[in-house]
Amino acid sequence: MRTIGVLGGMTWHSSLEYYRLINTGVNERLGGIHSARCLLFSVDMEPIGALMAAGSWDEAGRQLSVDARAVEAAGADIFLLGTNSLHNAWATIVAGLTIPTIHIGDPTGAALHRDGHSRVALLGTRYTMELPFLREWLAERYGLEVLIPDPAERRLLHRVVFEELALGLVTDETRSAFLAVIRRLALQGATAGILGCTEFGLLVRPGDSELPLYDTGLLHAAAAVDAALE
C-alpha cells in the first residue's frame, strides 16, 4: 500500500472527512482492521484565507508549495490538495513535487463523463464558481458545460462556506437554501450538481437533491484509495 499525503486544514472540518473517507475506503477494500497509510498536513486557514480574499493567489501558492514539499518529505507517495478553491494555485503548489498528484477535477470529471452528463451545475465558494480554473479543467478534459448560480446565489454560497461550514455550523435553513439553488440550475438544464467545496458534503447528501450530486471531496478521497492500492 502506498502512502497518501493530504495537504489540508482548508478547512479542518473537511480534512477530517478526507481522513475518514480514505481510511473507510481502504478498510472496505481490504477488510479486517486494515486502515490507510496516510499523512495529513493541516495548515492554519486564517492567513491563507486572507490571501485568497486579497486575490494573492501566487503568494498563497508559494506558501502552500512549501507545505506540499513537507508532505512529500514526510513519506507520502501520492499527493492531494484537500480543497477546491486553492486548486486555483495548483500549478504553483505542486511544482516542486516528484510524487504523483491527483487534481480534484479529475475524479469528478471522470465520474460525470462516465455517467453520461454533459451539462452540470457547479456550486462552491465564489472563487471556485467565478474563477475559471475548475470550469476550464472540466470543460477541456471531460467535455462538460458547467453552469454556475446567479450573483446573489454565489454570494449566499460563499457566505455559507466561510461563515457557517468553516466553523462547523450546519443548519436545516441553509440546507434548504442550498437545495433551492440546485433546483434553479436544474431548470436551466443541468443534469447533475457538483459539490465543488469540500465542506458541502457536510451539508447535503446525494439523496437530498432531485439531481444526482457529485461530491468532489468524496471522489477525490476514493481516487486516492485507488491509487494507493494499485
Side-chain angles (χ1 to χ4, degrees):
M1 186 190 314
R2 293 195 286 176
T3 300
I4 299 167
V6 181
L7 180 56
M10 300 167 278
T11 65
W12 70 262
H13 299 281
S14 64
S15 298
L16 183 63
E17 281 297 289
Y18 266 87
Y19 185 75
R20 182 184 68 81
L21 290 166
I22 288 169
N23 280 286
T24 299
V26 167
N27 183 259
E28 288 174 347
R29 295 273 290 273
L30 300 183
I33 57 171
H34 281 286
S35 56
R37 289 181 55 84
C38 62
L39 302 165
L40 174 59
F41 189 117
S42 186
V43 306
D44 179 6
M45 183 58 187
E46 182 69 26
I48 297 298
L51 290 172
M52 295 163 66
S56 300
W57 294 98
D58 289 343
E59 179 57 27
R62 282 191 290 270
Q63 291 188 21
L64 291 174
S65 71
V66 176
D67 298 329
R69 291 194 295 273
V71 172
E72 179 173 0
D77 301 306
I78 304 156
F79 176 81
L80 278 70
L81 178 64
T83 170
N84 282 273
S85 295
L86 280 150
H87 274 74
N88 190 42
W90 173 255
T92 301
I93 293 168
V94 302
L97 300 182
T98 63
I99 58 176
T101 64
I102 303 175
H103 188 287
I104 202 166
D106 284 328
T108 302
L112 287 160
H113 180 75
R114 177 198 66 212
D115 293 344
H117 297 289
S118 59
R119 197 174 204 207
V120 299
L122 173 62
L123 300 98
T125 65
R126 179 170 55 82
Y127 312 124
T128 299
M129 292 183 288
E130 295 179 357
L131 296 174
F133 65 95
L134 186 55
R135 288 185 284 115
E136 289 183 352
W137 192 279
L138 295 171
E140 292 170 2
R141 290 166 173 78
Y142 300 97
L144 297 171
E145 179 185 359
V146 181
L147 307 180
I148 61 173
D150 67 30
E153 292 168 338
R154 296 198 297 268
R155 289 191 295 272
L156 167 68
L157 295 177
H158 190 83
R159 182 191 62 76
V160 164
V161 173
F162 286 98
E163 297 181 17
E164 296 183 21
L165 300 178
L167 302 175
L169 179 62
V170 176
T171 69
D172 291 337
E173 180 182 3
T174 295
R175 182 179 297 108
S176 295
F178 186 94
L179 294 172
V181 174
I182 295 175
R183 285 194 294 273
R184 284 190 285 274
L185 289 166
L187 292 175
Q188 297 177 34
T191 62
I194 301 172
L195 301 183
C197 173
T198 52
E199 283 78 23
F200 282 164
L202 303 172
L203 180 65
V204 294
R205 301 299 181 194
D208 293 338
S209 169
E210 61 197 50
L211 291 186
L213 299 180
Y214 290 72
D215 184 337
T216 54
L218 188 154
L219 292 164
H220 205 197
V225 170
D226 288 342
L229 298 180
E230 284 179 349

